[in-house]
Amino acid sequence: MASSGKSELVVLANRLPVRKVDTGPSGDQWATSPGGLVSALAPILRERGGSWVGWPGDTGEAPKPFTHDGIRNVPVGLTSGELEAFYYGFCNRTIWPLFHDAVRPPEFHRRWWWPYVEMNSRFASAAAKRLSEDGTAWVHDYQLMLAPQMIRMKKPGARIGFFLHIPWPPEELFAQIPWRRQIVEGLLAADVVGFQTKLAAINFARAARRLTEATGSDSELRYRGRKVLVRAFPISIDTERYEQLAESETVLERVLSLREMLGPERRVILGVDRLDYTKGIDVRLRSFEELLSRGTVSASNTVFVQVAVPSREQVDEYTHERESIERVVGRINGAFTEPGRVPVHYLYRSLPVEELVAYYLLADVLMVTPYRDGMNLVAKEYVASRRDGSGVLVLSEFAGAANELRGSLLVNPHDIDGMAQALEAALHLPKAEVGKRMSALRRVVRRHSVFNWADAFLKAVAA
Ligand code: ADQ
């Protein structure tokens, strides 16, 4: 922490890196949230005396800033009306579908835009208060696309980086949003605008040149006398942590007991996702159904485990998606269950990471089949967990991860026949081929962890 009490590094993200676990007589009790982003940034923030600005997760008045585990947390409050309009409205019914190739129609409402502006300004003010004059602000994701400009106005000498965790859509799709110029201008105030893929970076640079006076190339723009670096920084995971979990006794014991329960003789196909309509959960189940109908597999020799974490249940499209997935699961199990052998195990809940890794170790095949995904960390977690070099990854070509994970079987989630074919191939791939592909995948994930990612991004911002 600088002597002024200001931070040299301030992270802004929709959520704080902690969640409230209890409110007792001694005040609120917080626990660090699990996840790669938090574990990558926590050591950097601790070392640099940094602050993290975010929403604590409850509506109403925000708690006062507090330090937890060596990190200064700066909570930003939201009323329930703001949560509705800003988060469930503009973020998750306008931006989220639009930026995921409009797999559901995005909704454009002026009554959601103003809360988005207001929330960005609240986050930016909280950050600017903390930031030293020449400090660094790292703004995360689609909830805060106006914040770079708002911080720049208050701290002209700051270094500002923005990273988008989701895709940036093609020019003609992005052009639909009535506030397209404001959003692009919001981002152009950053020194570095980072994306998961090169394609997203190019899409952004094109939108910037078309909608504003920005000039320059796809990787470096000039805007109002400043240079803006536009680049892909593919995010990754804490690879070592997954490798360690995969050989821990708790996990290995759990693998044995799960295998016993599922049926030791059965092949296991796995899906793990936040329940989201972008993830293509329905389509992968239908490709499995296709193989069951053709008699290529049966409930006695194969089981599909789908783990789905409840997500954004307040948004209608998510409840519809859940219902549609549950209908497919019911239909498959109704038609293909054999005595004592259910073909699809569907778990609608969040699992502790040890349990998740146990499933990764059990799975002969992992299916990651989004219609569009910024990166997809589940694919990388699976690869990191497969220390023995076995396991096949079936991966959508529309996931950011497909650019790096070339050892996977790439599929088009819009093509059910192609998906069924790929799943069948995955189940029958010769052992040598499985090993070759998995070791190629493991090389990528071991070479590139979330720590390298954070480091590369911050170096680019400092340059
Ligand atoms: P998400 O859309 O949430 O992230 P993803 O990258 O797959 O998608 O991350 C999901 C995380 O949740 C993984 O770490 C996974 O282990 C965990 N998870 C999933 N199901 C779980 C379950 N049932 N129980 C417990 N944990 C579960 C957004 C973008 C992605 C991008 C990330 C990071 O949409 O494209 O990769 O941010 O930038």
Side-chain angles (χ1 to χ4, degrees):
M1 178 94 48
S3 54
S4 58
K6 307 244 175 198
S7 298
E8 186 216 324
L9 175 64
V10 176
V11 168
L12 291 85
N14 184 46
R15 293 296 298 264
L16 283 175
V18 291
R19 65 199 151 79
K20 203 193 285 178
V21 281
D22 199 14
T23 305
S26 55
D28 293 338
Q29 305 292 311
W30 302 88
T32 301
S33 301
L37 184 65
V38 176
S39 44
L41 297 186
I44 304 173
L45 284 168
R46 269 185 220 118
E47 195 188 303
R48 294 170 64 164
S51 305
W52 187 309
V53 176
W55 180 51
D58 284 333
T59 52
E61 205 182 321
K64 294 263 167 297
F66 60 95
T67 301
H68 178 85
D69 212 1
I71 295 170
R72 193 78 186 144
N73 284 267
V74 183
V76 175
L78 258 92
T79 65
S80 54
E82 284 164 346
L83 181 69
E84 221 25 68
F86 159 74
Y87 183 70
Y88 291 114
F90 197 80
C91 292
N92 288 321
R93 297 177 78 169
T94 305
I95 299 290
W96 182 268
L98 181 69
F99 280 41
H100 287 87
D101 284 356
V103 290
R104 291 290 179 281
E107 291 179 49
F108 304 118
H109 298 298
R110 286 166 290 180
R111 67 175 190 281
W112 290 346
W113 165 248
W114 291 110
Y116 185 75
V117 176
E118 164 64 24
M119 287 317 303
N120 271 258
S121 149
R122 205 173 295 168
F123 273 75
S125 301
K129 262 195 217 146
R130 293 270 139 202
L131 193 63
S132 58
E133 294 309 319
D134 56 355
T136 299
W138 186 356
V139 186
H140 287 265
D141 227 0
Y142 63 105
Q143 298 90 354
L144 297 173
M145 291 189 285
L146 307 177
Q149 187 180 29
M150 293 166 169
I151 298 172
R152 176 70 67 208
M153 273 154 51
K154 293 176 199 284
K155 294 277 151 142
R159 300 295 297 172
I160 303 176
F162 176 89
F163 182 77
L164 186 69
H165 291 257
I166 67 174
W168 185 278
E171 208 181 331
E172 64 277 17
L173 266 181
F174 182 70
Q176 288 181 8
I177 188 166
W179 309 279
R180 56 199 191 180
R181 197 174 45 75
Q182 290 94 316
I183 290 172
V184 173
E185 284 177 347
L187 294 172
L188 285 171
D191 299 291
V192 177
V193 186
F195 297 91
Q196 302 275 25
T197 64
K198 212 169 160 180
L199 181 64
I202 293 172
N203 285 343
F204 171 75
R206 287 193 180 149
R209 287 192 302 258
R210 173 171 162 190
L211 300 167
T212 72
E213 67 267 35
T215 54
S217 69
D218 286 346
S219 55
E220 194 179 296
L221 294 168
R222 286 212 73 80
Y223 180 69
R224 302 199 173 157
R226 289 183 30 261
K227 198 175 82 180
V228 185
L229 184 74
V230 179
R231 237 188 74 186
F233 295 86
I235 199 169
S236 191
I237 55 165
D238 182 350
T239 310
E240 249 179 57
R241 173 154 189 258
Y242 283 86
E243 292 199 322
Q244 281 163 5
L245 279 165
E247 57 174 5
S248 78
E249 217 166 289
T250 336
V251 169
L252 294 175
E253 273 168 20
R254 189 63 186 147
V255 173
L256 290 180
S257 68
L258 283 172
R259 190 178 295 288
E260 200 49 45
M261 287 184 278
L262 289 172
E265 71 292 354
R266 295 162 101 197
R267 311 290 303 281
V268 178
I269 307 167
L270 177 68
V272 173
D273 312 78
R274 231 178 2 85
L275 197 152
D276 195 296
Y277 54 75
T278 58
K279 301 284 183 186
I281 300 172
D282 51 345
V283 78
R284 82 178 71 124
L285 288 167
R286 283 167 59 205
S287 70
F288 180 57
E289 183 179 29
E290 190 73 27
L291 295 190
L292 287 164
S293 334
R294 289 185 208 156
T296 316
V297 296
S298 72
S300 62
N301 60 29
T302 310
V303 58
F304 197 123
V305 180
Q306 175 63 53
V307 190
V309 200
S311 177
R312 303 176 196 165
E313 287 171 297
Q314 292 81 341
V315 177
D316 285 348
E317 285 75 13
Y318 286 73
T319 25
H320 296 156
E321 185 62 17
R322 179 183 173 193
E323 285 159 10
S324 133
I325 291 166
E326 291 178 355
R327 262 198 308 277
V328 181
V329 172
R331 188 174 73 214
I332 299 176
N333 285 345
F336 299 103
T337 293
E338 293 172 20
R341 289 289 178 253
V342 179
V344 181
H345 283 232
Y346 170 65
L347 288 77
Y348 181 62
R349 68 191 89 128
S350 176
L351 298 181
V353 67
E354 292 79 10
E355 182 86 356
L356 209 57
V357 174
Y359 277 108
Y360 288 150
L361 289 178
L362 267 180
D364 299 287
V365 178
L366 176 78
M367 291 195 87
V368 176
T369 57
Y371 295 110
R372 182 55 82 186
D373 213 334
M375 176 54 63
N376 196 290
L377 297 179
V378 169
K380 293 187 172 181
E381 292 166 3
Y382 176 67
V383 171
S385 307
R386 307 295 302 197
R387 299 176 62 104
D388 70 355
S390 68
V392 181
L393 173 63
V394 174
L395 179 63
S396 161
E397 58 190 79
F398 300 109
N403 290 320
E404 295 168 272
L405 301 181
R406 307 307 288 187
S408 54
L409 296 182
L410 288 181
V411 291
N412 170 4
H414 298 279
D415 171 11
I416 296 260
D417 277 341
M419 294 254 295
Q421 238 172 45
L423 181 55
E424 187 178 353
L427 287 166
H428 295 115
L429 217 57
K431 215 170 156 197
E433 169 85 11
V434 171
K436 207 170 96 196
R437 284 175 175 272
M438 186 48 82
S439 60
L441 292 171
R442 288 185 56 74
R443 269 198 300 280
V444 175
V445 174
R446 299 192 79 190
R447 216 177 24 227
H448 188 67
S449 75
V450 73
F451 302 102
N452 309 131
W453 167 81
D455 205 41
F457 187 87
L458 286 171
K459 276 203 179 104
V461 176

